[in-house]
Amino acid sequence: MSPEQAIAEVFGLYEAHGTADYIGEPVSQIEHMSQAAQLAMAEGFDDEVVLAAFFHDIGHLCGRGDANMGGYGVVSHERLGADYLRRAGFSERMTRLVEYHVQAKRYLTFSQPGYYARLSDASRRTLAYQGGVMNAEEAVAFEQDPLCAVSLRMRYWDEQAKKIHVPVLDLEVLKAKARKLLMPRRDF
């Protein structure tokens, strides 16, 4: 698949399904994804992280019709989304960040007293489908991963990206970032 085909297909999911409700939250899918990307941009993160923040829940869109979490989205959406983005040609770093946003939730419920209580009702309900609270062994392994710190930031953006009346980011800005990442490098 060419970079332009990948961009058309991936962003086509948002154009087709982005206005759908974001599983038990007061915003649409596209509003949630846009806010997460805007938070990453505001903190000065690179294009891979910004796009990972935007794409973190793409598994809910590309996995439509798969098993769901009691009406709160698609089971294993993080893995489905990461695999979908890998097939589209995105980097392993970016796709692992998409995959890790659920692990970050599991980690934070283990490591931070009170984090569970701060989760939205929908996030609490899906936690059981996502493996529940991490155990100590899983937490130590997650802490050793080089993407742990960025994954935790993504999780906070995920939780914050549920505000109503926030303008949606121009998708052309994100498409340009995706184009830069997908285009073959030419070293002269």
Side-chain angles (χ1 to χ4, degrees):
M1 169 179 333
S2 77
E4 286 305 321
Q5 289 171 317
I7 290 165
E9 182 178 311
V10 171
F11 284 92
L13 288 173
Y14 292 94
E15 291 158 352
H17 307 293
T19 57
D21 286 342
Y22 176 58
I23 52 170
E25 303 291 356
V27 293
S28 69
Q29 292 277 354
I30 193 73
E31 289 169 324
H32 174 64
M33 305 298 210
S34 173
Q35 288 177 39
Q38 288 175 61
L39 290 164
M41 290 169 70
E43 290 187 29
F45 278 89
D46 63 67
D47 290 347
E48 282 183 321
V49 175
V50 169
L51 286 172
F54 182 75
F55 291 142
H56 77 274
D57 278 340
I58 197 169
H60 291 305
L61 302 180
C62 69
R64 293 170 65 84
D66 286 11
N68 76 62
M69 298 181 285
Y72 289 92
V74 176
V75 172
S76 299
H77 76 282
E78 70 282 7
R79 183 184 46 76
L80 291 169
D83 289 345
Y84 175 78
L85 292 166
R86 276 185 193 101
R87 287 190 302 275
F90 287 98
S91 73
E92 187 61 21
R93 177 178 178 247
M94 193 195 87
T95 57
R96 284 179 53 214
L97 287 169
V98 168
E99 193 163 10
Y100 284 4
H101 82 279
V102 167
Q103 296 305 317
K105 176 168 82 169
R106 295 183 62 230
Y107 173 82
L108 289 167
T109 55
F110 167 80
S111 66
Q112 292 188 4
Y115 180 78
Y116 179 84
R118 292 193 309 268
L119 290 174
S120 68
D121 185 52
S123 287
R124 281 189 222 131
R125 289 175 184 251
T126 58
L127 182 62
Y129 289 97
Q130 297 166 333
V133 176
M134 273 189 179
N135 63 39
E137 187 177 311
E138 290 171 317
V140 167
F142 188 64
E143 290 168 347
Q144 303 307 310
D145 192 291
L147 295 177
C148 178
V150 177
S151 298
L152 296 177
R153 287 303 314 140
M154 280 193 48
R155 186 66 215 173
Y156 285 116
W157 301 329
D158 187 1
E159 291 304 322
Q160 294 169 10
K162 299 172 183 176
K163 295 181 171 78
I164 58 172
H165 307 301
V166 174
V168 172
L169 190 60
D170 181 355
L171 288 186
E172 291 306 317
V173 170
L174 297 170
K175 287 178 182 180
K177 291 178 181 304
R179 199 169 284 112
K180 275 185 6 188
L181 294 178
L182 290 172
M183 288 301 193
R185 291 185 54 138
R186 292 190 177 104
D187 296 321
F188 295 99

